[in-house]
Every structure is written in C-alpha cells, then in structure tokens.
C-alpha cells in the first residue's frame, strides 16, 4: 500500500514539472498568461523548435513515471499514468495550472502499450483534418479537444485488444477532468 502511494506521489511530482512552463520561465515569461503550456501552445508562442522540445520532455516524463513506478511497485503503471497526467494538468510546483495531459499520457502508454498508443494517436490525427474541414465552424470547438473526446473512448476499445487498458482508463479519466475544467473556463473554443 505504501509502495503504491509512493509510486503515485512520485509520478504526480514528476508530472508537475510542466516543460512548457519551465521553458517559458527560463525565457523570463509565463506562457500561461496567454496560452496553454503544452506543445501546441508552445508552438504558437515560441515556434516549432521550442514546441518539439517541450513535447519531447513531457512525453519522456510520462514514460519515466511509469518505468519508475513499476520498479517501486510492480503493477502500478495505471496509478503512475494517472499521477503523471494529473501532475501535468494540476502541477503542484506551478499553482495547479498546467496543460491538458496529452503528452505525458502518450509517454506513459508508450512504455506499457506502444501499439495502443500508436493506434489511438493515428486515429486522433486522422480525425483532426476531417473535423476542421467539416464540423469545426459549426461546433466552434478546438480540434484537439474534439479529437481527444472521440479518440479516448475508441482508444479504450483498442486497449482491450492491444493492451494497457488500466493505464488507458486511468489517464483518460485524469484528462477528462482537466478537459472539463478547461472548457468551463472557455478554453478550447475555436
Ligand atoms: O495536453 P498537453 O499539455 O500535453 O499539450 C498537448 C499539445 O498541446 C497538443 O498539441
């Protein structure tokens, strides 16, 4: 029990190191005054190189959280996934205002169920251009939350076949919570 709690807390603390916030602070700025601190917000504010760097670091921390948690308490991958995503979304180091959780979620899945991750990501990426060309003007919702809302339930189905269901559900639940808060704040609107 203690080891499970340690795995969760460690993952949460690691998730709380939100790369986009750290990057912007190093530039003497705080991206959150204008945008979300994930890959797309970083791209809008600082360009492609910064966005790639920030996304990679956030993906890596998701992967690292699951690997460390499995060493501390075998079978705790799902707890680590939920911890690292919650940390990224509600970072204890940065006033509980973080990103949307996609990057650390992908990183965690990459370790436990790479095929589930790749299939779900491919699905989400395929949805985005179709959505932009068809329904976005009507729904006025940003393409990324739309694609996530569609890909997450389908991804859970994929996970029943390709593995990582526990991690998938744990990470999705944390992301759904954050998505609800962001939409309530009026963010994510197109
Ligand atoms: O959900 P985040 O914070 O990992 O950010 C994800 C990217 O912005 C998606 O483009």
């Amino acid at each position: 029990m203690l080891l499970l709690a340690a795995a969760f807390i460690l993952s949460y603390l690691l998730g709380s190191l939100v790369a986009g916030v750290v990057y912007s602070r190093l530039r003497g700025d705080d991206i959150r005054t204008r945008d979300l601190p994930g890959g797309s917000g970083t791209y809008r504010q600082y360009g492609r190189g910064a966005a790639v760097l920030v996304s990679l670091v956030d993906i890596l921390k998701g992967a690292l959280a699951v690997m460390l948690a499995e060493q501390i308490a075998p079978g705790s991958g799902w707890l680590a996934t939920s911890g690292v995503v919650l940390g990224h979304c509600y970072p204890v180091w940065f006033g509980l205002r973080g990103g949307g959780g996609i990057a650390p979620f992908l990183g965690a899945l990459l370790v436990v169920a790479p095929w589930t991750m790749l299939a779900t990501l491919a699905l989400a990426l395929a949805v985005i251009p179709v959505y932009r060309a068809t329904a976005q003007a009507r729904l006025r919702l940003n393409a990324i939350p739309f694609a996530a809302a569609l890909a997450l339930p389908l991804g859970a189905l994929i996970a029943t076949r390709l593995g990582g269901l526990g991690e998938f559900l744990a990470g999705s639940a944390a992301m759904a919570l954050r998505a609800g808060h962001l939409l309530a704040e009026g963010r994510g609107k197109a």
Side-chain angles (χ1 to χ4, degrees), residues 18 36-42 44 55 58 88-89 98-105 144 175:
V18 183
L36 286 170
S40 42
T42 302
R44 284 188 291 270
S55 301
D58 284 338
H88 181 85
C89 297
I102 294 173
F105 184 47
I144 291 171
M175 279 178 57

PDB file of all heavy atoms in Angstrom, residues 18 36-42 44 55 58 88-89 98-105 144 175, ligand 1:
ATOM      1  N   VAL A  18       6.059  20.813 -15.548  1.00  0.00           N
ATOM      2  CA  VAL A  18       5.453  21.060 -16.868  1.00  0.00           C
ATOM      3  C   VAL A  18       6.479  21.769 -17.751  1.00  0.00           C
ATOM      4  O   VAL A  18       6.863  22.922 -17.480  1.00  0.00           O
ATOM      5  CB  VAL A  18       4.174  21.909 -16.718  1.00  0.00           C
ATOM      6  CG1 VAL A  18       3.505  22.104 -18.067  1.00  0.00           C
ATOM      7  CG2 VAL A  18       3.224  21.264 -15.732  1.00  0.00           C
ATOM      8  N   LEU A  36      -1.962  27.803 -23.301  1.00  0.00           N
ATOM      9  CA  LEU A  36      -1.700  26.585 -22.536  1.00  0.00           C
ATOM     10  C   LEU A  36      -0.239  26.183 -22.723  1.00  0.00           C
ATOM     11  O   LEU A  36       0.347  26.443 -23.770  1.00  0.00           O
ATOM     12  CB  LEU A  36      -2.631  25.460 -23.017  1.00  0.00           C
ATOM     13  CG  LEU A  36      -4.086  25.591 -22.566  1.00  0.00           C
ATOM     14  CD1 LEU A  36      -4.952  24.570 -23.287  1.00  0.00           C
ATOM     15  CD2 LEU A  36      -4.203  25.408 -21.066  1.00  0.00           C
ATOM     16  N   PRO A  37       0.337  25.523 -21.710  1.00  0.00           N
ATOM     17  CA  PRO A  37       1.781  25.247 -21.781  1.00  0.00           C
ATOM     18  C   PRO A  37       2.153  23.938 -22.480  1.00  0.00           C
ATOM     19  O   PRO A  37       3.266  23.461 -22.316  1.00  0.00           O
ATOM     20  CB  PRO A  37       2.166  25.186 -20.292  1.00  0.00           C
ATOM     21  CG  PRO A  37       0.947  24.677 -19.616  1.00  0.00           C
ATOM     22  CD  PRO A  37      -0.231  25.180 -20.395  1.00  0.00           C
ATOM     23  N   GLY A  38       1.247  23.361 -23.275  1.00  0.00           N
ATOM     24  CA  GLY A  38       1.578  22.123 -23.998  1.00  0.00           C
ATOM     25  C   GLY A  38       2.282  22.419 -25.303  1.00  0.00           C
ATOM     26  O   GLY A  38       2.685  23.556 -25.587  1.00  0.00           O
ATOM     27  N   GLY A  39       2.405  21.388 -26.134  1.00  0.00           N
ATOM     28  CA  GLY A  39       3.127  21.519 -27.395  1.00  0.00           C
ATOM     29  C   GLY A  39       2.504  22.549 -28.327  1.00  0.00           C
ATOM     30  O   GLY A  39       3.218  23.376 -28.916  1.00  0.00           O
ATOM     31  N   SER A  40       1.174  22.550 -28.457  1.00  0.00           N
ATOM     32  CA  SER A  40       0.588  23.481 -29.427  1.00  0.00           C
ATOM     33  C   SER A  40       0.646  24.928 -28.928  1.00  0.00           C
ATOM     34  O   SER A  40       0.909  25.848 -29.710  1.00  0.00           O
ATOM     35  CB  SER A  40      -0.830  23.079 -29.851  1.00  0.00           C
ATOM     36  OG  SER A  40      -1.566  22.655 -28.773  1.00  0.00           O
ATOM     37  N   GLY A  41       0.435  25.125 -27.629  1.00  0.00           N
ATOM     38  CA  GLY A  41       0.565  26.477 -27.079  1.00  0.00           C
ATOM     39  C   GLY A  41       1.995  26.977 -27.231  1.00  0.00           C
ATOM     40  O   GLY A  41       2.236  28.138 -27.607  1.00  0.00           O
ATOM     41  N   THR A  42       2.966  26.105 -26.966  1.00  0.00           N
ATOM     42  CA  THR A  42       4.371  26.489 -27.092  1.00  0.00           C
ATOM     43  C   THR A  42       4.702  26.807 -28.553  1.00  0.00           C
ATOM     44  O   THR A  42       5.436  27.756 -28.848  1.00  0.00           O
ATOM     45  CB  THR A  42       5.279  25.360 -26.558  1.00  0.00           C
ATOM     46  OG1 THR A  42       4.923  25.101 -25.203  1.00  0.00           O
ATOM     47  CG2 THR A  42       6.743  25.745 -26.611  1.00  0.00           C
ATOM     48  N   ARG A  44       2.598  28.027 -30.763  1.00  0.00           N
ATOM     49  CA  ARG A  44       2.016  29.340 -31.071  1.00  0.00           C
ATOM     50  C   ARG A  44       2.854  30.477 -30.490  1.00  0.00           C
ATOM     51  O   ARG A  44       3.011  31.522 -31.100  1.00  0.00           O
ATOM     52  CB  ARG A  44       0.586  29.424 -30.515  1.00  0.00           C
ATOM     53  CG  ARG A  44      -0.449  28.668 -31.321  1.00  0.00           C
ATOM     54  CD  ARG A  44      -1.865  28.947 -30.817  1.00  0.00           C
ATOM     55  NE  ARG A  44      -2.112  28.375 -29.503  1.00  0.00           N
ATOM     56  CZ  ARG A  44      -2.598  27.154 -29.294  1.00  0.00           C
ATOM     57  NH1 ARG A  44      -2.884  26.374 -30.319  1.00  0.00           N
ATOM     58  NH2 ARG A  44      -2.792  26.696 -28.074  1.00  0.00           N
ATOM     59  N   SER A  55       7.360  19.143 -26.012  1.00  0.00           N
ATOM     60  CA  SER A  55       6.568  17.916 -26.177  1.00  0.00           C
ATOM     61  C   SER A  55       7.403  16.694 -25.827  1.00  0.00           C
ATOM     62  O   SER A  55       6.922  15.781 -25.139  1.00  0.00           O
ATOM     63  CB  SER A  55       6.061  17.774 -27.619  1.00  0.00           C
ATOM     64  OG  SER A  55       5.274  18.885 -27.953  1.00  0.00           O
ATOM     65  N   ASP A  58       7.829  16.383 -22.073  1.00  0.00           N
ATOM     66  CA  ASP A  58       6.587  15.951 -21.413  1.00  0.00           C
ATOM     67  C   ASP A  58       6.262  14.483 -21.721  1.00  0.00           C
ATOM     68  O   ASP A  58       5.744  13.764 -20.864  1.00  0.00           O
ATOM     69  CB  ASP A  58       5.425  16.868 -21.816  1.00  0.00           C
ATOM     70  CG  ASP A  58       5.482  18.217 -21.111  1.00  0.00           C
ATOM     71  OD1 ASP A  58       6.127  18.311 -20.052  1.00  0.00           O
ATOM     72  OD2 ASP A  58       4.874  19.183 -21.621  1.00  0.00           O
ATOM     73  N   HIS A  88       0.733  16.952 -14.511  1.00  0.00           N
ATOM     74  CA  HIS A  88       0.904  17.852 -15.660  1.00  0.00           C
ATOM     75  C   HIS A  88      -0.273  18.837 -15.757  1.00  0.00           C
ATOM     76  O   HIS A  88      -0.091  20.000 -16.106  1.00  0.00           O
ATOM     77  CB  HIS A  88       0.997  17.003 -16.933  1.00  0.00           C
ATOM     78  CG  HIS A  88       1.194  17.794 -18.178  1.00  0.00           C
ATOM     79  ND1 HIS A  88       2.426  18.201 -18.612  1.00  0.00           N
ATOM     80  CD2 HIS A  88       0.309  18.268 -19.086  1.00  0.00           C
ATOM     81  CE1 HIS A  88       2.296  18.885 -19.746  1.00  0.00           C
ATOM     82  NE2 HIS A  88       1.014  18.945 -20.044  1.00  0.00           N
ATOM     83  N   CYS A  89      -1.464  18.341 -15.455  1.00  0.00           N
ATOM     84  CA  CYS A  89      -2.663  19.193 -15.567  1.00  0.00           C
ATOM     85  C   CYS A  89      -2.803  20.129 -14.369  1.00  0.00           C
ATOM     86  O   CYS A  89      -3.253  21.268 -14.514  1.00  0.00           O
ATOM     87  CB  CYS A  89      -3.913  18.322 -15.666  1.00  0.00           C
ATOM     88  SG  CYS A  89      -3.959  17.277 -17.121  1.00  0.00           S
ATOM     89  N   GLY A  98      -1.809  23.782 -15.237  1.00  0.00           N
ATOM     90  CA  GLY A  98      -0.895  23.196 -16.201  1.00  0.00           C
ATOM     91  C   GLY A  98      -1.536  22.981 -17.560  1.00  0.00           C
ATOM     92  O   GLY A  98      -2.372  23.778 -17.996  1.00  0.00           O
ATOM     93  N   GLY A  99      -1.136  21.896 -18.222  1.00  0.00           N
ATOM     94  CA  GLY A  99      -1.609  21.637 -19.581  1.00  0.00           C
ATOM     95  C   GLY A  99      -2.783  20.678 -19.622  1.00  0.00           C
ATOM     96  O   GLY A  99      -3.484  20.489 -18.623  1.00  0.00           O
ATOM     97  N   GLY A 100      -2.947  20.070 -20.791  1.00  0.00           N
ATOM     98  CA  GLY A 100      -4.096  19.193 -20.998  1.00  0.00           C
ATOM     99  C   GLY A 100      -3.825  17.720 -20.738  1.00  0.00           C
ATOM    100  O   GLY A 100      -4.750  16.918 -20.669  1.00  0.00           O
ATOM    101  N   GLY A 101      -2.571  17.331 -20.634  1.00  0.00           N
ATOM    102  CA  GLY A 101      -2.243  15.953 -20.249  1.00  0.00           C
ATOM    103  C   GLY A 101      -1.918  15.007 -21.395  1.00  0.00           C
ATOM    104  O   GLY A 101      -1.549  13.849 -21.162  1.00  0.00           O
ATOM    105  N   ILE A 102      -2.037  15.488 -22.635  1.00  0.00           N
ATOM    106  CA  ILE A 102      -1.864  14.567 -23.764  1.00  0.00           C
ATOM    107  C   ILE A 102      -0.441  13.985 -23.806  1.00  0.00           C
ATOM    108  O   ILE A 102      -0.266  12.764 -23.921  1.00  0.00           O
ATOM    109  CB  ILE A 102      -2.172  15.279 -25.107  1.00  0.00           C
ATOM    110  CG1 ILE A 102      -3.653  15.663 -25.169  1.00  0.00           C
ATOM    111  CG2 ILE A 102      -1.820  14.380 -26.293  1.00  0.00           C
ATOM    112  CD1 ILE A 102      -4.012  16.527 -26.379  1.00  0.00           C
ATOM    113  N   ALA A 103       0.562  14.847 -23.715  1.00  0.00           N
ATOM    114  CA  ALA A 103       1.947  14.377 -23.892  1.00  0.00           C
ATOM    115  C   ALA A 103       2.368  13.355 -22.829  1.00  0.00           C
ATOM    116  O   ALA A 103       2.882  12.282 -23.187  1.00  0.00           O
ATOM    117  CB  ALA A 103       2.901  15.573 -23.943  1.00  0.00           C
ATOM    118  N   PRO A 104       2.165  13.637 -21.527  1.00  0.00           N
ATOM    119  CA  PRO A 104       2.576  12.605 -20.560  1.00  0.00           C
ATOM    120  C   PRO A 104       1.749  11.318 -20.683  1.00  0.00           C
ATOM    121  O   PRO A 104       2.249  10.222 -20.422  1.00  0.00           O
ATOM    122  CB  PRO A 104       2.359  13.274 -19.195  1.00  0.00           C
ATOM    123  CG  PRO A 104       1.474  14.437 -19.447  1.00  0.00           C
ATOM    124  CD  PRO A 104       1.722  14.869 -20.852  1.00  0.00           C
ATOM    125  N   PHE A 105       0.508  11.460 -21.115  1.00  0.00           N
ATOM    126  CA  PHE A 105      -0.337  10.276 -21.328  1.00  0.00           C
ATOM    127  C   PHE A 105       0.265   9.405 -22.442  1.00  0.00           C
ATOM    128  O   PHE A 105       0.392   8.184 -22.299  1.00  0.00           O
ATOM    129  CB  PHE A 105      -1.752  10.735 -21.698  1.00  0.00           C
ATOM    130  CG  PHE A 105      -2.757   9.630 -21.857  1.00  0.00           C
ATOM    131  CD1 PHE A 105      -2.868   8.624 -20.918  1.00  0.00           C
ATOM    132  CD2 PHE A 105      -3.623   9.602 -22.938  1.00  0.00           C
ATOM    133  CE1 PHE A 105      -3.806   7.603 -21.058  1.00  0.00           C
ATOM    134  CE2 PHE A 105      -4.557   8.609 -23.093  1.00  0.00           C
ATOM    135  CZ  PHE A 105      -4.653   7.599 -22.153  1.00  0.00           C
ATOM    136  N   ILE A 144      -8.249  19.877 -31.122  1.00  0.00           N
ATOM    137  CA  ILE A 144      -7.568  18.913 -30.242  1.00  0.00           C
ATOM    138  C   ILE A 144      -8.514  18.321 -29.180  1.00  0.00           C
ATOM    139  O   ILE A 144      -8.594  17.099 -29.043  1.00  0.00           O
ATOM    140  CB  ILE A 144      -6.284  19.527 -29.642  1.00  0.00           C
ATOM    141  CG1 ILE A 144      -5.280  19.689 -30.803  1.00  0.00           C
ATOM    142  CG2 ILE A 144      -5.693  18.644 -28.552  1.00  0.00           C
ATOM    143  CD1 ILE A 144      -4.048  20.453 -30.465  1.00  0.00           C
ATOM    144  N   MET A 175      -7.451  13.144 -17.838  1.00  0.00           N
ATOM    145  CA  MET A 175      -7.547  14.119 -18.925  1.00  0.00           C
ATOM    146  C   MET A 175      -8.964  14.660 -19.079  1.00  0.00           C
ATOM    147  O   MET A 175      -9.164  15.842 -19.388  1.00  0.00           O
ATOM    148  CB  MET A 175      -7.105  13.485 -20.243  1.00  0.00           C
ATOM    149  CG  MET A 175      -5.607  13.448 -20.396  1.00  0.00           C
ATOM    150  SD  MET A 175      -5.117  12.658 -21.916  1.00  0.00           S
ATOM    151  CE  MET A 175      -5.979  13.640 -23.107  1.00  0.00           C
TER     152      MET A 175
HETATM  153  O1  LIG B   1      -2.042  18.256 -23.361  1.00  0.00           O
HETATM  154  P1  LIG B   1      -0.634  18.796 -23.293  1.00  0.00           P
HETATM  155  O2  LIG B   1      -0.442  19.822 -22.245  1.00  0.00           O
HETATM  156  O3  LIG B   1       0.368  17.678 -23.232  1.00  0.00           O
HETATM  157  O4  LIG B   1      -0.389  19.543 -24.677  1.00  0.00           O
HETATM  158  C1  LIG B   1      -0.655  18.823 -25.847  1.00  0.00           C
HETATM  159  C2  LIG B   1      -0.460  19.610 -27.071  1.00  0.00           C
HETATM  160  O5  LIG B   1      -0.731  20.951 -26.911  1.00  0.00           O
HETATM  161  C3  LIG B   1      -1.255  19.028 -28.191  1.00  0.00           C
HETATM  162  O6  LIG B   1      -0.955  19.671 -29.363  1.00  0.00           O
END
